[in-house]
Amino acid sequence: MTSVWESLTVDARDPGRLARWWAEALGYQVVVEGPDEVEIRQRPDRLPGIVFVPVTGTKEGKNRLHLDLRPADREAEVERLVDMGARHVDVGQDGDDWTVLADPEGNEFCVLRQRGD
């Protein structure tokens, strides 16, 4: 018996706002929007989704789990995401293979360099 990956859940102070931010960043769409959760997916029938649920506290410390994005042009994608409200963060990373950003609520993610570079 195996399991199917259904979704990744993200705690958020404003789930709707953060879900829409990630939907725009990833080219996803909102498939469920309610007071207790907002889910985005690449397509309504395609798993996994990312589910945003409300919390009252703020994020503290470095994420123990994060997304890695690999665009065709890292520099252009970093600029686009920063223009959307992401910010550069330092989590003690080293090297030139990725850029660490945080979404509008402070959740870190990496933008990787192009394959073959």
Side-chain angles (χ1 to χ4, degrees):
M1 178 187 225
T2 61
S3 295
V4 174
W5 179 16
E6 176 80 16
S7 62
L8 171 71
T9 301
V10 177
D11 292 345
R13 291 182 56 88
D14 186 340
R17 177 176 168 257
L18 195 58
R20 286 185 290 281
W21 189 91
W22 275 104
E24 182 178 346
L26 297 172
Y28 279 34
Q29 57 188 285
V30 174
V31 296
V32 172
E33 185 159 9
D36 295 328
E37 72 175 33
V38 180
E39 182 176 2
I40 64 171
R41 294 185 186 174
Q42 192 173 39
R43 294 188 319 259
D45 61 343
R46 181 150 187 201
L47 296 174
I50 304 175
V51 177
F52 298 83
V53 297
V55 295
T56 56
T58 58
K59 179 187 165 300
E60 294 182 25
K62 180 181 177 281
N63 290 1
R64 295 192 67 182
L65 176 73
H66 68 268
L67 298 177
D68 286 342
L69 309 180
R70 189 180 302 275
D73 181 335
R74 179 175 56 168
E75 292 74 23
E77 182 67 349
V78 166
E79 183 177 340
R80 181 181 81 90
L81 294 166
V82 168
D83 287 347
M84 287 174 49
R87 61 184 169 80
H88 290 268
V89 293
D90 182 355
V91 293
Q93 69 270 21
D94 58 1
D96 293 325
D97 291 340
W98 60 87
T99 300
V100 180
L101 299 176
D103 70 18
E105 290 201 12
N107 300 298
E108 297 96 3
F109 62 98
C110 294
V111 182
L112 307 175
R113 69 179 170 89
Q114 301 80 282
R115 290 200 185 271
D117 285 358

